[in-house]
Amino acid sequence: MIDDLWYKNGIFYCLAVGTYMDANGDGIGDFVGLTRRLDYLHGLGVTAIWLMPFQPSPQRDGGYDIADYYGVDPRYGTLGDFVEFAHGCKQRGIRIIIDLVVNHTSDQHPWFLEARRSKDSPYRDWYVWSDKKPANANTGMVFPGVQKSTWTRDKEAGAWYFHRFYDFQPDLNTSNPHVQTEILKIMGFWIQLGVSGFRMDAVPFVIATKGASVKKSVEQYDMLRAFREFLQWREGDAIILAEANVLPQTDLEYFGDDGDRMHMMFNFQVNQHLFYALAASDTRPLAKALVATKPRPASAQWGLFLRNHDELDLGRLTEAQRDVVFKAFGPDKDMQLYNRGIRRRLAPMLGGDRRRLELAYSLMFTLPGTPVIRYGDELGMGDNLALPERECARTPMQWSAEPHGGFTKSDKAASPVLDQGPYGYEHVNAAKQRRDPNSMLNWTERIIRMRKEVPEVGWGDFEVIETRDPAVLIIRYDWRNNSVLFVHNLDEKPREIAFATGLADDSGRLLINLLAEDHSRADKRGRHTLVREPYGYRWYRVGGLDYLLRRSDVDTERSAKRTRKAAHPG
Ligand code: GLC
Ligand code: CA
């Protein structure tokens, strides 16, 4: 049944518990607060919440440095609070995805504390050691400019340990069968508590061979199948959404040819080219990225996103393309990060221009895959560049014009709420936008509602329709004898666009606008001619005279036909 693959037509929403809603007034968001906001999320229409790591952690990398996989950080509440939250989600039909961060642990994890203590510790081999400094210790850093090396000497251990990320995140030796068993156990634990799957962190690194003697690491894809198999036995409809910023020719290794590995992957290729398209008003490289990432097994799905909690990584663009995006969206050095990306939030990048925000969102909702919204983007929240690295785009949710944006009753929020400039909470907040029918929030709610009614996007085959105009992207989806078609003008100037749907027998075909009244009728040669306003977008259902069409249109059409027939009998 089609509903069984629930992630194919889902709306994902990612948030960090600590910056969402503080219920007990200690300045830190918690599960009780988040649970109280479930009706907000339900109203918005999200079908799955992706929780960033919330387990006990020294919090030196936004919780991606876990010190205990089987608990809730006391700052956020108790395991009991988590279960209440999970129940609240279930009542509303919202699914939960949680981060699975198993490439590394915190250096404060008891496993690492044990491992460093002695060579004979049973946990020693859970990490990756070297007696001498490996020759490649200064290569392969994920955070260049901040992270100095990938091997650090541990005094207590008297040896060097490997860390793909920061030095306080020692890599787990994922080739060790004991570690592999433990990873399954972690999945089993949270599945039992009601989550529907995992956003698996740093997957290419999890499955890579690691060690001082490894010159060029190799991905062990079989591990992905093992994760998947276990998950499916425990919970048939649970999924894994992989964070894997890889080249299109490797996608199928991750999905598995038969769809027996990862259910979902984030589409980084499309993400980067989408931002290039927005910056350059040139959709051609985006169209190429869409075609390049097209092949995937029927049950697999892309996760489509604009911004996430990390920097906007532009590493897959050419240098010239990257420069164009930097210039348009992050011209100051301070806005850039790790020599490859932009650390800002979406709204300030697009100059707070509502037309461009809608355009960007409309693209995210209509490109092939399942949209993943970043909390606060539904309000057009801004960033705080005074905060270091990626923190700038992780400020607390802005609920109202009350102090600290209604996020906390404490006089000090653990992470400062944005309180200055045009994106400060007094201007940008959920309470205000809820009252305004034309707000970004209410627009997002409407577009989500419509997106859910167009399952063709998540399920169908797509075709990028040729236009002569690089600023315009037209995509058609076909699924079960239905077709939908989306037109986007990425330019600041209005465009006249002529195109055919590409379907056979197009003459006189009607495109029914799903968001407004101006439908389009093809001419005798099957061509539609439209004028798209600057940054304009249109969502059409391909008619079918009998479908959704206003009665009056049908009547006009029929009587026109009759008149034509009468005038030219035979
Ligand atoms: C992923 C996360 C990022 C984190 C890193 C290390 O890339 O998205 O936030 O810092 O993994 O776990
Ligand atoms: Ca709290």
Side-chain angles (χ1 to χ4, degrees), residues 22-28 403-414 417:
D22 173 24
N24 65 356
D26 65 354
I28 304 171
H404 301 289
F407 160 70
T408 179
K409 293 235 179 312
S410 138
D411 27 305
K412 206 177 164 326
V417 183

Side-chain angles (χ1 to χ4, degrees), residues 539-553:
W539 294 24
Y540 292 113
R541 185 166 284 288
V542 180
L545 283 174
D546 51 349
Y547 188 80
L548 254 182
L549 186 55
R550 286 169 309 164
R551 202 62 227 165
S552 57
D553 275 11

Side-chain angles (χ1 to χ4, degrees), residues 306-320:
L306 290 168
R307 289 290 290 111
N308 60 19
H309 63 296
D310 292 325
E311 82 284 4
L312 164 63
D313 186 341
L314 303 168
R316 302 251 177 249
L317 300 182
T318 65
E319 212 175 311

